[in-house]
Amino acid sequence: MIPARLERSQLYVPAHRWHMIEKAVTSPADAVVLDLEDAVPLEEKIRARANVIRALTGLEFGGRLRVVRMNGLDTPFAYRDLTEVMEAAGERLDLLMLPKANAARDVQFVETLLTQVEAAQGSSQATGVEVQIETVAGVLNVREIAAASPRLEALIFGPGDFAASAQMPIEHIGERGAYDADYPGDRWHHAMQSIVLAARAHGLRCLDGPYAPLDNPDGLARMTRIARGLGFDGKQCIHPRQLDVVNAAFSQTPEEVAHAQAVVAALHEAEETGRGAVSLEGRMVDAANIRMAQVTLHRYAQERRTL
């Protein structure tokens, strides 16, 4: 059973920047991602790994999910990222993030290593895994990736690396620019919807990737609304100033909650009176409406627990 975790927002923190880690663990983020991959220069990789262990064992995250993004499996750092962090602080880690997952075997390799380390440590905790879908191969194989491991909890879209893999020109990561204005549709729709559908088919969460421009809150808000409209649960952030916009966009509005409560109340009334049909304000309520209302109230309950 996949844990019911609230991940409206993930805040990336370069793991070699200790002062940024200290600030992140008091931020409004639902999850703090201690990043060992792209945000860390090669010469800082080893020190960053030590900082991750120091943070997990020494800092109070205040209910925020503790996530570590390891380096990719095509690098010389991945194996030691996993084993050193898990051996020293595995009991304090909620989720391990694998970047650039290309196939199911990548997830299964990580699963095997995690199982080995946990067995050696005598740990009863099974650390969850999140994977980033950010290559052409990853998008083409996303169905198999989503079914690869019972540890898997979330699929995450990585627009920057995906654009590079597909040789799609972009101006800023996560932003719609001139090339998008010329295209008669949404250039990113196939990749993003594929990730959402694969995640939902296997009961996983799905998150959109980051929005790079920090001086365009309107652009961030628009891209966040698009992601929610496609069915994503949350979005990654690269700066604390983005968190309020993202959290708000992926939270249930008072109007949505009130409508969901009314739908569920109408269902209960129909059940109590023996009526087969459910109606609300003169309109028929079908099974899809009821399921959506239940999802809304479940997410609202999760959000209330974080207050």
Side-chain angles (χ1 to χ4, degrees):
M1 179 66 69
I2 296 171
R5 308 189 199 265
L6 183 67
E7 273 194 296
R8 297 167 300 180
S9 57
Q10 285 188 341
L11 177 61
Y12 275 119
V13 190
H16 64 300
R17 301 288 185 89
W18 180 254
H19 72 285
M20 294 179 69
I21 295 175
E22 290 181 305
K23 291 181 179 179
V25 301
T26 63
S27 74
D30 290 333
V32 174
V33 181
L34 304 174
D35 188 16
L36 292 170
E37 198 213 11
D38 285 350
V40 180
L42 288 177
E43 64 274 14
E44 296 283 356
K45 294 288 188 183
I46 307 305
R47 184 165 72 90
R49 195 183 295 152
N51 273 351
V52 166
I53 295 169
R54 179 185 172 194
L56 291 173
T57 56
L59 295 180
E60 176 54 56
F61 282 66
R64 296 162 189 83
L65 292 174
R66 298 159 296 186
V67 187
V68 171
R69 180 166 75 163
M70 61 188 289
N71 283 281
L73 298 182
D74 59 346
T75 74
F77 305 105
Y79 167 72
R80 293 311 306 171
D81 285 346
L82 189 153
T83 54
E84 288 186 21
V85 170
M86 289 300 299
E87 287 172 354
E91 293 286 346
R92 298 270 294 170
L93 181 63
D94 295 306
L95 294 157
L96 183 70
M97 186 186 298
L98 172 66
K100 301 177 180 68
N102 291 318
R105 63 178 177 272
D106 295 340
V107 182
Q108 292 159 353
F109 175 76
V110 169
E111 177 189 32
T112 299
L113 284 182
L114 284 172
T115 301
Q116 289 289 305
V117 174
E118 288 167 355
Q121 298 288 100
S123 174
S124 59
Q125 174 179 313
T127 301
V129 174
E130 299 185 322
V131 301
Q132 290 184 283
I133 306 299
E134 46 187 345
T135 65
V136 169
V139 170
L140 292 178
N141 294 323
V142 69
R143 297 181 184 182
E144 293 77 14
I145 290 171
S149 168
R151 289 182 185 264
L152 190 58
E153 294 192 21
L155 304 179
I156 303 168
F157 181 47
D161 282 298
F162 174 73
S165 177
Q167 300 182 28
M168 295 170 62
I170 60 171
E171 296 163 25
H172 301 288
I173 293 173
E175 186 179 42
R176 300 299 194 263
Y179 288 98
D180 298 276
D182 292 336
Y183 186 73
D186 187 335
R187 294 193 299 154
W188 310 91
H189 181 267
H190 172 73
M192 295 176 73
Q193 189 76 97
S194 296
I195 290 168
V196 171
L197 296 181
R200 296 304 179 218
H202 295 277
L204 310 178
R205 297 184 300 278
C206 47
L207 285 80
D208 189 22
Y211 180 82
L214 296 178
D215 57 353
N216 187 1
D218 291 338
L220 172 63
R222 176 173 179 268
M223 299 317 302
T224 304
R225 289 194 303 271
I226 288 173
R228 187 180 180 192
L230 280 170
F232 284 91
D233 296 299
K235 187 172 180 65
Q236 296 183 318
C237 301
I238 59 172
H239 195 281
R241 76 176 69 163
Q242 297 178 324
L243 292 169
D244 287 342
V245 171
V246 170
N247 282 339
F250 285 101
S251 295
Q252 311 312 299
T253 68
E255 294 77 15
E256 289 169 338
V257 173
H259 178 73
Q261 290 171 335
V263 168
V264 172
L267 170 65
H268 291 164
E269 181 184 357
E271 291 173 340
E272 290 171 359
T273 58
R275 289 186 286 112
V278 182
S279 63
L280 178 66
E281 298 176 351
R283 296 184 179 183
M284 190 68 66
V285 176
D286 62 15
N289 296 130
I290 294 169
R291 285 194 295 270
M292 283 303 302
Q294 292 168 337
V295 168
T296 295
L297 295 180
H298 173 70
R299 290 180 176 174
Y300 179 63
Q302 287 183 303
E303 292 160 15
R304 295 288 296 172
R305 286 196 291 269
T306 67
L307 297 178

